[in-house]
Amino acid sequence: MATQGTVVYSSDVVVGNQSIVTNGAYTNFDMHIISGSWPSQKYKIVSAVIGCTLRNARWDTITVKTGDITLGAFSAAGTDGARAQSLVTSYDYVDLSNLTLYGGGVGTQISSGSYVTVTVVWELSETVSTISLSNASVDAGSSVTATISSVSSLYTHEILIEFGILSQTLNISAGISSQIITIPISWLDQIPNVQSSPARVTLITYSNGVYIGAVATTLTIRAPQSAAPTFTASCAPLLTVGGTTYPSMGTGVYVQGKSGCTAKITGAAAQYGATISGYSIRGGGYSGANATLATGLLNSSGTIPFVFRVTDSRGLYTEKTVNISVLAYASPKVASLTGWRVDAAGASSLAGTLGKCKAVWSYSQLNSANTCAAKIYIKPTGGSETLLNAAMASNSTYWIATSAGNMTLTATTRYVLRLALTDKYGTVSVTADLPSAAFAMHLNAAGNSIAFGKACEKTNAVEIAAGRTLYLGD
């Protein structure tokens, strides 16, 4: 069934009884719509009826005109009261703004307090095409397919896409039932502060070039991830941390506990009308909300990821990860340091007056960038240190000697050895005892001390060598 509608025009209320005369002087009425509306599609007039209220009806013919166009005529003969009379359907009543009634001037009047009306019924003569989209939303820079459903293969169409102040029109030839719609990514300039917004898609239908009508739908345009900010992320060793400056172990080299990291975001730029709204950097147990992060000392070794994020005013963000390699570091470590008495041939002798020493130690080489120097010192109990002439390579045995030659060790004296290991970050020292010569029993010269298994070192004391057991009783 064809679509129909009704439009009703009316005059203002008639004031005083108005005679219908030959020149229409008293019965000229301005008309306005009081109900209904005209369609945007092509239509035809099905019927038009004038309504009025007559008084003092006489035999007369009343002619209805708008301007110079005659819309119809009817007889006034009969009783007073309301009249309804058909008018022509060839006139497009959408333009109706004025109506005049003409008569013979024989006394017929339009009654005071009544209204003159025209009731028009229209019917669509063409059916507007419809449109559907393959997706309700689309990323800017991408496409959707519009499907056109039309009652006639002769219809042509236009698709109008409107987004903010921007628009584009696609002309669709007759017989085409689908159309690719591509949204320019530059249209994101219209939404600098949100990630999506609706666009209006209107399908306009024409028949032989004549406008029939239009229908519209909504297409949500999204900002794709490719519209997120761009930037460069970088990391570099930080050698001054907490007021202390540490030596470099080479370009781009990070050392556990001895360097930090300066992480930077540079060249950050938002796209398509957006602005940068925030930064964040995190890594190595540190984080910050600025474009530069200066960490404290890196406390772990191995691969450490630093994650950089830049966010724009739409809420889109880009993340990048830079992995840094941190070399493991520990201060130089002495596993053992020993010294013992020997005889002139170098054989171990508890009563010897010469000595040898040996140390087992290690350090972090840091890909050969770090170095470690070993020095060994000796001092008698209560005395001062003397630097020995020994390279002290790890796990090697050396004579206790100075540059002048092997040292003579007093039989009754205990000595202390000190090994100092110095790498590029500092010095570590450890000590070890070199005992006095072994005696079954030793009485000091003053006669006030006695020692068992060793020489006397203290006065007014009884001493027992380390590792010996004292038994009391049976």
Side-chain angles (χ1 to χ4, degrees):
M1 181 177 181
T3 300
Q4 293 185 340
T6 300
V7 179
V8 179
Y9 291 88
S10 176
S11 68
D12 294 331
V13 65
V14 177
V15 180
N17 299 318
Q18 302 297 320
S19 297
I20 304 174
V21 296
T22 57
N23 63 0
Y26 308 110
T27 52
N28 179 267
F29 303 101
D30 290 330
M31 305 297 289
H32 56 272
I33 294 175
I34 61 171
S35 68
S37 62
W38 293 99
S40 59
Q41 299 96 316
K42 189 176 181 181
Y43 60 87
K44 63 181 179 181
I45 304 300
V46 175
S47 65
V49 176
I50 186 172
C52 60
T53 302
L54 298 182
R55 178 183 178 279
N56 197 27
R58 296 288 186 272
W59 183 265
D60 198 1
T61 297
I62 298 173
T63 301
V64 182
K65 289 188 175 183
T66 177
D68 294 331
I69 301 173
T70 299
L71 301 179
F74 62 94
S75 173
T79 59
D80 293 348
R83 295 293 181 92
Q85 183 65 40
S86 295
L87 301 177
V88 298
T89 59
S90 58
Y91 175 73
D92 188 357
Y93 288 87
V94 72
D95 297 321
L96 183 65
S97 62
N98 182 271
L99 202 67
T100 303
L101 305 183
Y102 298 88
V106 296
T108 302
Q109 298 175 323
I110 301 296
S111 294
S112 178
S114 67
Y115 296 85
V116 176
T117 63
V118 175
T119 301
V120 183
V121 176
W122 54 260
E123 181 178 281
L124 295 182
S125 57
E126 302 276 9
T127 301
V128 68
S129 301
T130 60
I131 187 172
S132 61
L133 301 175
S134 57
N135 288 291
S137 60
V138 64
D139 288 344
S142 299
S143 303
V144 293
T145 299
T147 300
I148 301 169
S149 298
S150 178
V151 299
S152 172
S153 63
L154 299 179
Y155 285 174
T156 59
H157 302 88
E158 286 181 351
I159 295 178
L160 174 64
I161 306 101
E162 299 169 290
F163 189 61
I165 63 172
L166 303 176
S167 66
Q168 66 170 316
T169 300
L170 305 175
N171 294 308
I172 316 300
S173 301
I176 302 299
S177 60
S178 67
Q179 174 66 43
I180 300 296
I181 298 175
T182 300
I183 303 301
I185 196 166
S186 60
W187 280 20
L188 291 177
D189 289 348
Q190 299 297 298
I191 52 169
N193 299 312
V194 294
Q195 292 186 25
S196 64
S197 186
R200 181 180 177 85
V201 180
T202 302
L203 177 70
I204 305 169
T205 304
Y206 297 92
S207 177
N208 294 321
V210 177
Y211 173 86
I212 295 177
V215 293
T217 188
T218 297
L219 174 65
T220 298
I221 296 177
R222 303 183 303 252
Q225 182 58 37
S226 62
T230 59
F231 65 93
T232 299
S234 64
C235 290
L238 178 62
L239 299 179
T240 299
V241 181
T244 300
T245 299
Y246 298 88
S248 172
M249 292 296 146
T251 302
V253 176
Y254 301 85
V255 178
Q256 179 184 10
K258 299 300 178 183
S259 62
C261 177
T262 299
K264 287 186 177 182
I265 294 170
T266 56
Q271 303 190 75
Y272 308 110
T275 55
I276 299 298
S277 63
Y279 304 91
S280 72
I281 306 174
R282 65 184 188 276
Y286 303 93
S287 63
N290 297 308
T292 299
L293 172 66
T295 73
L297 293 175
L298 300 171
N299 295 315
S300 58
S301 61
T303 299
I304 297 179
F306 276 76
V307 180
F308 302 75
R309 176 184 288 194
V310 177
T311 304
D312 69 11
S313 54
R314 294 188 183 97
L316 291 178
Y317 64 86
T318 299
E319 276 193 351
K320 294 184 178 181
T321 299
V322 175
N323 291 317
I324 65 170
S325 180
V326 181
L327 298 180
Y329 175 80
S331 297
K333 180 179 180 181
V334 179
S336 64
L337 173 61
T338 55
W340 62 96
R341 290 175 177 268
V342 298
D343 59 21
S348 179
S349 172
L350 295 177
T353 57
L354 299 176
K356 287 188 176 182
C357 60
K358 178 181 179 181
V360 177
W361 56 272
S362 62
Y363 75 103
S364 299
Q365 296 188 29
L366 305 179
N367 294 337
S368 300
N370 194 18
T371 59
C372 187
K375 292 183 179 181
I376 190 164
Y377 302 83
I378 191 169
K379 71 174 182 178
T381 303
S384 58
E385 285 187 334
T386 299
L387 175 63
L388 297 181
N389 187 27
M392 292 307 293
S394 179
N395 207 28
S396 296
T397 300
Y398 294 89
W399 285 92
I400 294 177
T402 67
S403 58
N406 292 341
M407 284 185 64
T408 299
L409 304 177
T410 304
T412 58
T413 301
R414 178 175 64 88
Y415 294 86
V416 176
L417 296 171
R418 180 173 70 88
L419 178 68
L421 300 176
T422 302
D423 72 356
K424 289 188 177 181
Y425 294 113
T427 299
V428 172
S429 292
V430 296
T431 60
D433 283 344
L434 194 160
S436 61
F439 294 87
M441 182 180 70
H442 181 253
L443 182 67
N444 70 356
N448 58 13
S449 290
I450 188 170
F452 298 92
K454 62 188 291 290
C456 291
E457 296 181 39
K458 301 182 181 300
T459 59
N460 299 314
V462 175
E463 300 177 66
I464 298 175
R468 305 299 176 90
T469 303
L470 175 65
Y471 288 95
L472 299 176
D474 295 335

